[in-house]
Amino acid sequence: QPHLVESGGGLVQPGGSLRLSCAASGFTSGFYAIGWFRQAPGKEREGVSCISLTTGNTNYADSVKGRFTISEDNAKNTVFLQMNMLKPEDKAMYYCAAGYCSDEQWVPLGGAWGPGTQVSVSS
């Protein structure tokens, strides 16, 4: 069965950086894209970024453009999210998922989700 697990979360001051990792294992041959969602308590879940594993296309939420960068390591079957210039509003649980990714949309598919990693931004 496919398995995703996130790591790299933590507490950082505003303006700081974190690098999240999403490691995929198990049956992943059907994965076309991997990306990130986040959700804060009382807030709606929002798509953050994704990368297509077939085309390399990426997309980013407007709120993180210019600050976050998504990348992949094919050999390690891992997707990374480099988060720079973090803001308090970036505080959330970050989840990775498999799905469909294009320049226009990021859609989780198939029910493959990691358990999440917490990102906190505070002085």
Side-chain angles (χ1 to χ4, degrees):
Q1 296 181 351
H3 182 68
L4 302 174
V5 61
E6 305 91 342
S7 62
L11 175 63
V12 66
Q13 294 182 354
S17 298
L18 287 171
R19 187 191 190 213
L20 305 185
S21 298
C22 174
S25 61
F27 183 76
T28 60
S29 62
F31 285 10
Y32 294 108
I34 294 178
W36 298 87
F37 288 81
R38 67 185 182 186
Q39 188 168 27
K43 298 285 188 177
E44 186 176 81
R45 186 188 70 186
E46 63 175 331
V48 178
S49 181
C50 63
I51 183 167
S52 170
L53 303 181
T54 57
T55 68
N57 288 346
T58 61
N59 79 37
Y60 298 90
D62 289 341
S63 59
V64 306
K65 285 181 179 177
R67 300 188 297 120
F68 292 10
T69 303
I70 193 167
S71 62
E72 62 171 319
D73 184 333
N74 289 328
K76 297 181 179 180
N77 209 16
T78 301
V79 171
F80 304 97
L81 185 68
Q82 179 67 46
M83 306 186 297
N84 299 324
M85 298 181 288
L86 283 161
K87 304 175 180 179
E89 52 262 45
D90 294 318
K91 180 181 179 180
M93 186 71 75
Y94 283 69
Y95 302 90
C96 67
Y100 171 79
C101 180
S102 72
D103 293 340
E104 301 171 339
Q105 61 187 81
W106 165 219
V107 181
L109 297 171
W113 290 82
T117 185
Q118 180 68 46
V119 171
S120 296
V121 186
S122 176
S123 299

